[in-house]
Amino acid sequence: MRKKLMAANWKMYKTPDQTRDFFRDFLPLISDHTRDEIAICPPFVCVPAAVDAAKESNIAIGGQNLHWEKEGAYTGEVSAGILLATGCTHVIIGHSERRQYFGETDDTVNLKLKTALEAGLTPIVCVGEVLEEREAGLTTPQLAAEAHVLIRGEAAKAFGDKMAESLRILYGGSVKPENAKSLMSEEEIDGALVGGASLSATSFAAIIKY
Ligand code: PGA
């Protein structure tokens, strides 16, 4: 049985002070929670505050992006080494917003994935969207689970059954306290990547404790 990963993607929300406030409220709510792994991916500049606040807890901290080069003249970018040095253990790669607004392609996503794996960061790779269904409000846990079966099948073809079997495939897209239980009850769904609903300590905690 794969342990689920419940990951927060804060996108471009929260300052360091707001990060500390979040952890003050969040930690007591999940301190006894061991069923799932928890990761929070704040904006880069909030990583030190998050790492410090999460020190004595079971919460991992991740970046929302990385560059594949070790270092160099890449204004605005952050390397795997910088993420590791600030205490990150996870990193989101190839989010649909990065593909849509910042020109990321499968090629750059591949470079980033290889870099993250070599550095020992746990990558949260975003691989696609069932946009039409989502926009129409039609994404059901069953549809999501079917998509996950498909993804696991592709992973098996590319990397073998054993690797595919150990792969955690998270669901992301409007996960909320109200739908977390039905989504997470699907055996093929190995966790969630939560955006908007992870910004409030009570709602992210409720999702984790679905
Ligand atoms: P959402 O974001 O939960 O706000 O839909 C998820 C994501 O895009 O990471």
Side-chain angles (χ1 to χ4, degrees), residues 8 31 62 64 69 81 91 99 104 107 126 135 156 162 165 171:
S31 59
Q64 296 177 13
E69 293 290 348
V91 62
R99 295 178 194 248
E104 294 211 10
D107 287 343
C126 305
E135 275 172 1
K162 194 157 170 254
E165 195 44 45
Y171 177 78

Side-chain angles (χ1 to χ4, degrees), residues 68 93-94 99 103-115:
W68 55 88
I93 294 174
R99 295 178 194 248
E104 294 211 10
T105 62
D106 286 348
D107 287 343
T108 58
V109 170
N110 275 330
L111 284 168
K112 290 175 182 204
L113 174 58
K114 192 164 171 276
T115 304

Side-chain angles (χ1 to χ4, degrees), residues 9 11 95-97 134 172-176 193-197:
N9 175 13
K11 308 192 178 185
H95 191 280
S96 60
E97 287 152 17
R134 181 176 162 190
S174 307
V175 177
K176 297 185 170 28
L193 183 63
V194 188

Side-chain angles (χ1 to χ4, degrees), residues 15-160:
T15 63
D17 275 349
Q18 290 167 336
T19 300
R20 283 183 275 273
D21 289 348
F22 174 93
F23 276 89
R24 181 199 56 219
D25 298 340
F26 183 63
L27 289 174
L29 300 176
I30 50 85
S31 59
D32 57 352
H33 191 86
T34 52
R35 180 188 56 191
D36 313 292
E37 282 177 35
I38 303 169
I40 294 183
C41 304
F44 289 138
V45 293
C46 298
V47 164
V51 167
D52 186 52
K55 237 182 353 234
E56 308 288 324
S57 76
N58 51 347
I59 301 167
I61 305 301
Q64 296 177 13
N65 183 26
L66 89 170
H67 195 280
W68 55 88
E69 293 290 348
K70 273 199 171 63
E71 58 185 6
Y74 300 104
T75 303
E77 294 292 319
V78 160
S79 67
I82 295 173
L83 289 178
L84 287 168
T86 45
C88 287
T89 52
H90 290 60
V91 62
I92 299 171
I93 294 174
H95 191 280
S96 60
E97 287 152 17
R98 301 241 19 117
R99 295 178 194 248
Q100 187 178 352
Y101 305 125
F102 302 101
E104 294 211 10
T105 62
D106 286 348
D107 287 343
T108 58
V109 170
N110 275 330
L111 284 168
K112 290 175 182 204
L113 174 58
K114 192 164 171 276
T115 304
L117 289 171
E118 281 170 7
L121 287 161
T122 301
I124 301 173
V125 190
C126 305
V127 293
E129 283 195 280
V130 270
L131 243 194
E132 285 156 34
E133 286 87 347
R134 181 176 162 190
E135 275 172 1
L138 293 174
T139 309
T140 63
Q142 292 73 28
L143 261 180
E146 277 173 31
H148 286 210
V149 171
L150 215 122
I151 293 165
R152 202 176 302 284
E154 290 300 314
K157 276 189 234 160
F159 310 112

